[in-house]
Amino acid sequence: MTKGTVSGIVANMVVVRVDGAVAQNEICWVTAATKGTKGAKDAGSDQAKGDHFSVKLMAEVIKVIGDEAYVQVFDSTRGLEVGAQVEFAGHMLEVTLAPGLLSKSFDGLQNDLEKMEGLFIERGSVTEPVDYGAVWDFVPTAEVGRSVVAGSWLGEVREINLVHKIMVPFTFEGTYTVKDIAAKGSYRVTDAIATLVDGEGGEHVVTMVQKWPVKRAVKAYSAKPRPSKVMETGVRAIDTFNPLTEGGTGFIPGPFGAGKTVLQHAISKQADADVIMVIACGERANEVVEIFEEFPHLVDPHTGNKLMERTIIICNTSNMPVAAREASVYTGMAIGEYYRAMGLKVLILADSTSRWAQALREMSNRLEELPGQDAFPMDLSAIISNFYSRAGIVSLPDGAMGSITFLGTVSPAGGNLKEPVTESTKKAARCFYALSQARADSKRYPAIDPLDSYSKYLEYPEVVRYLDQTVEQGWVDKVMRGKTIVQRGKEASEQINILGDDGVPVEYHERFWKSELVDFVILQQDAFDATDAYTSFERQRVMYNMVLDICDREFEFPDFEVCSGFFKELVNLFRQMNYAQFDSSEFNSYKDQILAKL
């Protein structure tokens, strides 16, 4: 085992002089003096000296020059001194994959937060991510003599309401033969459930638990086709105007108070996904507290149970070391890939990837690397693109399909959408949901700007075919017509604001109010109303076609006041429809009133 001594300290970056070989991204343990409670001593200490203990802090190698390794420490380096001892683990930062992860809350290093004591987490605290003493009812699905590869399913257990597949570890290479497999029964995750034989006759014992380095993408699949199926979120501004696909990527930039968190909560609750991953990578503590307060009480509309039963939370607040922010996004993605390999649909929500990028900038500056725009790393775009590329839909060895849909948020300073993180993410993500401060100030929620936002999936022929088959023939053409109506309405609004109500023809007012009809009926939605919060594709189709039918009509208004009054009455009736149960007598009554006015 390689060892070393600390030769320099710059906040959370530590320079270590090593006595052997070390690798990029290798994990090491830095010994620091600390003063605390017995709990801190138990977490990672040796002998006490009065009330002072030595604690081991986890760190990651980020740069190697000669016999010096630059490491980022995942904890406070308070009390660390030059000459402190360092031990290298010989492996990268790993995540533990096993039954029992659902409904848990972890930090970026996969420590179970519920097992930690005290108001503040003690330095060096380490907890097990899974319960090694828990017993699971195992059902074998692979037969003796079967050929398997990494990711092949050997059996399954019931994890809350999901079927959790027990797989050949992702680290296995080549083809193996099942020599024996455990009978149906109750086992711990560390019990042997199968023995596999490799091509050279070597035997390998497999348990229910495996480890995987978080910064390496799981490649246990046979193909990775382009996304072709739209993921239904129930949010009209997304599903109708800029759809997100199953296995797709998107991001939500917006200033503080524009509604990023509420929109993410709505998507996580309503989206068509089996597993929800929520990654809080450096948000303020009060916003993270909201996640812990609200998620356990959210009801899953798909099952009627608590949403937390199929949710995993990875949490790092803004007052935690910057290195922990980077770890959290990779830990969340690795766990998501694990569940994708089971043939499940995984939705990962990261809030906010700006904090992750800021952590990269801070460590890059401490390494004295050549800075890019706004002092971010030169390779920021490559790092973000590489991370986003891990999402997607895959074909698994057993013939099933699994997917990871990734939706991140970006918090640009001052709402500037031209800053480097937003621009770099634009290159990687296929969907762009720009939250507008102006829309948020005017209470037009969700504040997704219909003109600045886009979905590149509308250009995919396979997505167009899917929408033609599942929603309506020519649906994408209708979506583009709606966007044109909104664009023309904005142009008319600008002319009206400049020349006044009487200074433009009535046609300008008609054009403006048609765009307002699309905005109020389709693009705005009440996330706190039981009926309006979720809109099925069938309901969106009906409502959108009604709105387009009105927008396609030519009206003869004597003046702008009559025009305004007419459309205001229509908007009011449509909004009442949005609060009525679909196809109910109340819904149809409003529909008849609208048709009677035309």
Side-chain angles (χ1 to χ4, degrees):
M1 177 184 294
T2 301
K3 295 185 178 181
T5 55
V6 173
S7 61
I9 305 168
V10 183
N12 289 93
M13 191 195 74
V14 175
V15 183
V16 181
R17 191 171 299 279
V18 299
D19 62 5
V22 295
Q24 181 78 7
N25 299 122
E26 185 176 349
I27 291 299
C28 62
W29 297 91
V30 182
T31 303
T34 189
K35 182 178 180 180
T37 62
K38 184 177 184 298
K41 176 179 181 297
D42 291 341
S45 61
D46 299 321
Q47 297 296 321
K49 296 180 180 179
D51 58 350
H52 288 75
F53 311 100
S54 61
V55 62
K56 291 184 177 181
L57 310 177
M58 183 184 286
E60 179 187 27
V61 176
I62 55 176
K63 187 176 183 179
V64 180
I65 301 178
D67 63 349
E68 287 188 332
Y70 293 75
V71 305
Q72 58 178 353
V73 182
F74 296 116
D75 218 323
S76 171
T77 54
R78 185 180 66 256
L80 183 62
E81 299 176 351
V82 172
Q85 297 301 303
V86 181
E87 295 181 357
F88 290 83
H91 61 77
M92 295 195 292
L93 179 63
E94 295 177 330
V95 65
T96 301
L97 305 172
L101 299 178
L102 288 182
S103 76
K104 292 290 188 65
S105 300
F106 303 105
D107 70 358
L109 304 179
Q110 211 191 7
N111 292 306
D112 189 342
L113 295 176
E114 295 178 2
K115 295 178 181 177
M116 293 184 171
E117 300 178 355
L119 182 61
F120 296 99
I121 299 173
E122 295 282 359
R123 283 200 308 164
S125 296
V126 177
T127 59
E128 295 293 350
V130 296
D131 184 357
Y132 288 103
V135 176
W136 299 88
D137 294 329
F138 174 77
V139 178
T141 56
E143 309 82 20
V144 173
R146 176 188 168 188
S147 294
V148 293
V149 295
S152 294
W153 302 339
L154 300 173
E156 60 191 32
V157 300
R158 173 67 63 173
E159 183 181 12
I160 307 182
N161 293 312
L162 285 179
V163 175
H164 186 114
K165 302 293 185 182
I166 307 302
M167 296 170 278
V168 177
F170 301 142
T171 54
F172 282 31
E173 298 179 357
T175 303
Y176 298 77
T177 303
V178 179
K179 179 181 180 181
D180 61 63
I181 191 162
K184 181 179 180 181
S186 299
Y187 302 89
R188 294 184 176 86
V189 294
T190 52
D191 292 337
I193 56 96
T195 302
L196 308 181
V197 180
D198 60 28
E200 299 178 354
E203 295 187 357
H204 305 266
V205 176
V206 176
T207 66
M208 295 189 202
V209 62
Q210 61 171 305
K211 292 184 180 291
W212 181 258
V214 298
K215 291 190 175 180
R216 283 181 56 195
V218 174
K219 298 292 182 70
Y221 51 79
S222 55
K224 194 175 184 180
R226 289 209 311 183
S228 60
K229 179 182 177 182
V230 171
M231 171 177 277
E232 187 173 348
T233 68
V235 180
R236 295 188 292 269
I238 294 178
D239 291 350
T240 299
F241 257 45
N242 297 298
L244 177 67
T245 59
E246 181 184 315
T249 56
F251 77 113
I252 309 171
F256 178 77
K260 296 189 295 292
T261 303
V262 174
L263 181 57
Q264 277 201 327
H265 282 198
I267 294 172
S268 64
K269 183 170 70 171
Q270 298 161 184
D272 181 20
D274 301 311
V275 176
I276 308 295
M277 295 283 309
V278 179
I279 306 173
C281 46
E283 283 301 287
R284 284 174 288 275
N286 62 326
E287 296 186 23
V288 176
V289 168
E290 287 181 9
I291 295 176
F292 289 112
E293 287 290 329
E294 295 178 12
F295 260 78
H297 301 289
L298 293 178
V299 176
D300 186 349
H302 300 284
T303 64
N305 300 322
K306 294 298 182 182
L307 181 65
M308 195 65 196
E309 291 184 358
R310 60 184 180 93
T311 300
I312 301 172
I313 297 176
I314 309 292
C315 164
N316 278 109
T317 59
S318 56
N319 63 331
M320 292 182 178
V322 293
R325 302 179 192 176
E326 184 184 10
S328 62
V329 295
Y330 287 107
T331 296
M333 181 61 76
I335 296 176
E337 289 173 327
Y338 176 58
Y339 281 95
R340 177 176 66 179
M342 300 179 197
L344 300 175
K345 292 179 285 187
V346 182
L347 173 64
I348 301 180
L349 304 169
D351 188 14
S352 145
T353 55
S354 289
R355 313 296 179 222
W356 166 40
Q358 289 164 7
L360 294 173
R361 175 172 63 183
E362 190 165 334
M363 297 310 299
S364 177
N365 293 345
R366 289 174 185 169
L367 289 170
E368 299 180 353
E369 295 177 340
L370 184 66
Q373 184 181 357
D374 290 0
F376 283 101
M378 293 287 289
D379 58 348
L380 178 66
S381 292
I383 294 172
I384 293 176
S385 296
N386 183 60
F387 179 77
Y388 270 76
S389 69
R390 293 176 64 170
I393 188 167
V394 297
S395 300
L396 301 172
D398 291 82
M401 302 291 289
S403 67
I404 288 179
T405 305
F406 184 81
L407 188 62
T409 66
V410 174
S411 305
N416 175 26
L417 300 185
K418 299 298 182 182
E419 56 88 39
V421 181
T422 304
E423 288 294 315
S424 297
T425 310
K426 262 188 174 182
K427 299 173 184 176
R430 301 287 90 187
C431 293
F432 176 61
Y433 303 116
L435 299 189
S436 164
Q437 186 67 63
R439 288 183 65 83
D441 290 343
S442 59
K443 308 303 180 187
R444 300 189 177 211
Y445 290 110
I448 299 174
D449 191 301
L451 299 178
D452 288 342
S453 304
Y454 59 79
S455 171
K456 292 184 179 179
Y457 294 115
L458 290 175
E459 303 170 2
Y460 287 21
E462 50 267 63
V463 173
V464 174
R465 286 194 298 270
Y466 175 83
L467 291 171
D468 285 344
Q469 295 168 2
T470 59
V471 183
E472 184 179 298
Q473 187 70 31
W475 180 254
V476 174
D477 292 335
K478 289 189 173 183
V479 171
M480 296 307 171
R481 279 168 52 199
K483 291 188 176 187
T484 301
I485 291 169
V486 174
Q487 176 65 50
R488 296 185 68 197
K490 180 183 179 182
E491 294 169 354
S493 175
E494 292 172 350
Q495 291 294 318
I496 294 170
N497 289 335
I498 294 172
L499 302 175
D501 290 332
D502 295 318
V504 297
V506 178
E507 289 78 8
Y508 279 60
H509 290 276
E510 180 181 330
R511 199 179 302 161
F512 164 71
W513 276 105
K514 285 178 178 179
S515 71
E516 288 289 273
L517 187 65
V518 175
D519 194 337
F520 277 98
V521 180
I522 303 299
L523 300 180
Q524 295 180 46
Q525 198 165 348
D526 189 346
F528 296 97
D529 180 78
T531 302
D532 196 35
Y534 174 80
T535 306
S536 66
F537 259 127
E538 176 61 20
R539 179 168 185 153
Q540 291 184 50
R541 183 187 66 81
V542 171
M543 297 292 288
Y544 190 57
N545 278 333
M546 287 184 64
V547 170
L548 282 187
D549 177 60
I550 294 173
C551 291
D552 288 341
R553 296 181 182 228
E554 296 293 335
F555 298 94
E556 296 292 336
F557 296 110
D559 55 52
F560 73 88
E561 291 181 343
V562 175
C563 175
S564 172
F566 173 79
F567 279 102
K568 284 180 179 178
E569 290 181 9
L570 282 182
V571 167
N572 182 59
L573 289 171
F574 268 112
R575 298 196 73 167
Q576 295 303 316
M577 281 183 72
N578 282 338
Y579 287 106
Q581 290 291 336
F582 181 56
D583 213 20
S584 64
S585 57
E586 182 183 12
F587 179 91
N588 291 324
S589 173
Y590 288 122
K591 183 178 180 180
D592 293 338
Q593 292 180 56
I594 290 170
L595 295 176
K597 290 184 66 63
L598 300 178

